[in-house]
Amino acid sequence: MSTRQTLPTEQPACHPPPESPLAAAGTGERAHRARTEPMTIRGLQDGRTIVETDGGTYVVDADHERCTCPDHAIRGVRCKHLRRVAIEAAAGTIPPAGMREGACALCGDPVFVEFDQPTALCERHSFEPGECVIDRETGSLLIVVAETTDRADERRIDDGRPIAEVETNRNYSGHEPVVEAVYASALGRQTNGRAAKRYGFPASRLRHTDHDPVRGRRLLASHRPAQRADAAG
Ligand SMILES: [Zn+2]
Ligand SMILES: [Zn+2]
């Protein structure tokens, strides 16, 4: 199971901190041209980028700092195409190195995802750890533990069934991410030192609420995460 980055302290080590678009270009003549010349940028599924200019069309591999243009291929310099791709990535208009463009499982809006990430949610639909949500099936109040990148039709519960195939999840799509949550009532009860059980839900089964998120975080702080999430009945 993989978990979307959940806490501000858990920045993945492989992604450098975001650079400002201005700094991304560097300085000098090539940086100036990278910023000002008209170029059409198009991301490929494999993470490379097509850069179309008046002078030709080139393929930039930002991960390996490579470009197919003569300036880079022959002279070995950081060409204007590499710089332009760095500018666009820093500005958030194309995926940063190591990521590709995907779509929110609920609304289809574009989101940047890891290459092997099978499902994702946009900013508007994503869940925060500690957030209070309502189970649409039972009306129960739950506290989100984590939004995972596992699909509901792939993550299995103890009896081997995918979460999407549990009766009460039939109204929700299997391609949605699994969101792990604990029942607020279970956190409030004395559990004899045992962690409250965490359950996995297809994302759209959980409804965002206006409840105080601080309360959710406080309840969650007293909760030790269980080994694995099960599907709610
Ligand atoms: Zn180039
Ligand atoms: Zn969305």
Side-chain angles (χ1 to χ4, degrees):
M1 181 204 83
S2 48
T3 301
R4 217 171 61 95
Q5 75 186 56
T6 50
L7 296 167
T9 50
E10 286 178 8
Q11 290 289 341
C14 52
H15 299 304
E19 211 175 0
S20 83
L22 201 64
T27 53
E29 176 60 21
R30 284 187 179 85
H32 177 70
R33 290 167 66 185
R35 281 195 295 268
T36 56
E37 285 183 15
M39 298 185 205
T40 305
I41 314 289
R42 210 152 28 87
L44 295 173
Q45 274 300 311
D46 63 6
R48 293 178 305 162
T49 309
I50 303 278
V51 180
E52 286 174 48
T53 68
D54 289 344
T57 298
Y58 307 104
V59 181
V60 167
D61 179 350
D63 278 354
H64 301 100
E65 280 273 320
R66 276 202 289 267
C67 179
T68 53
C69 78
D71 201 25
H72 177 77
I74 296 168
R75 284 184 285 279
V77 297
R78 187 165 181 247
C79 61
K80 61 184 179 183
H81 315 104
L82 273 164
R83 291 165 192 259
R84 178 60 164 265
V85 168
I87 292 171
E88 301 283 348
T93 51
I94 60 167
M99 300 187 89
R100 65 177 175 84
E101 188 170 306
C104 171
L106 300 194
C107 69
D109 278 1
V111 280
F112 298 155
V113 297
E114 307 281 338
F115 280 111
D116 56 354
Q117 188 175 328
T119 182
L121 296 175
C122 69
E123 200 69 40
R124 188 160 58 91
H125 286 117
S126 67
F127 292 85
E128 284 287 322
E131 181 186 347
C132 296
V133 291
I134 302 286
D135 176 6
R136 292 183 198 273
E137 294 296 312
T138 62
S140 302
L141 181 68
L142 292 107
I143 316 290
V144 171
V145 177
E147 177 187 313
T148 77
T149 56
D150 297 341
R151 288 169 55 119
D153 58 3
E154 284 171 358
R155 171 86 83 86
R156 291 170 189 279
I157 59 173
D158 290 343
D159 68 6
R161 276 182 305 168
I163 284 176
E165 281 176 27
V166 173
E167 287 303 318
T168 47
N169 290 335
R170 291 277 160 81
N171 292 330
Y172 310 96
S173 297
H175 73 281
E176 294 177 10
V178 170
V179 176
E180 295 180 356
V182 293
Y183 284 93
S185 57
L187 288 177
R189 270 201 311 267
Q190 176 55 261
T191 52
N192 296 326
R194 274 177 317 170
K197 191 165 175 55
R198 68 158 106 173
Y199 295 92
F201 298 86
S204 67
R205 180 170 161 175
L206 301 177
R207 185 162 58 79
H208 296 280
T209 71
D210 299 328
H211 286 266
D212 175 17
V214 176
R215 176 176 172 273
R217 286 203 175 81
R218 200 174 59 237
L219 284 170
L220 197 65
S222 62
H223 161 70
R224 275 189 295 117
Q227 279 308 301
R228 57 173 292 157
D230 215 334

